[in-house]
Amino acid sequence: SIEGELSVLERGSGAVRFTRTAHAAGGASVSWHPSQSLLATGGQDGRVTVWDATSGEVRHTLEAGAAWVERV
């Protein structure tokens, strides 16, 4: 979101599984892993964060070195 939050919803019901603060500045991009329960977010803070899409726990945080991560 523009506030830097990440929300993951349940397929079908649309119920919120979890919401986390993803980036200090707004979020810019998100990508799902095709065969694992992982997703990556990129933000205006120059970071890429890899999340466990089931639990919402952070797996990795990478400093991209850019002011804005437009695509992950």
Side-chain angles (χ1 to χ4, degrees):
S1 75
I2 196 157
E3 296 86 19
E5 291 185 342
L6 165 70
S7 293
V8 173
L9 310 178
E10 294 287 339
R11 186 187 313 185
S13 71
V16 176
R17 181 180 293 177
F18 62 82
T19 299
R20 301 285 188 269
T21 300
H23 297 278
S29 58
V30 64
S31 182
W32 287 86
H33 190 284
S35 62
Q36 295 182 20
S37 184
L38 299 173
L39 59 98
T41 59
Q44 295 176 15
D45 56 5
R47 290 185 301 147
V48 173
T49 306
V50 179
W51 304 83
D52 181 304
T54 302
S55 69
E57 293 184 33
V58 173
R59 294 280 189 95
H60 305 282
T61 301
L62 309 163
E63 295 295 328
W68 182 297
V69 179
E70 295 183 36
R71 294 180 187 89
V72 290

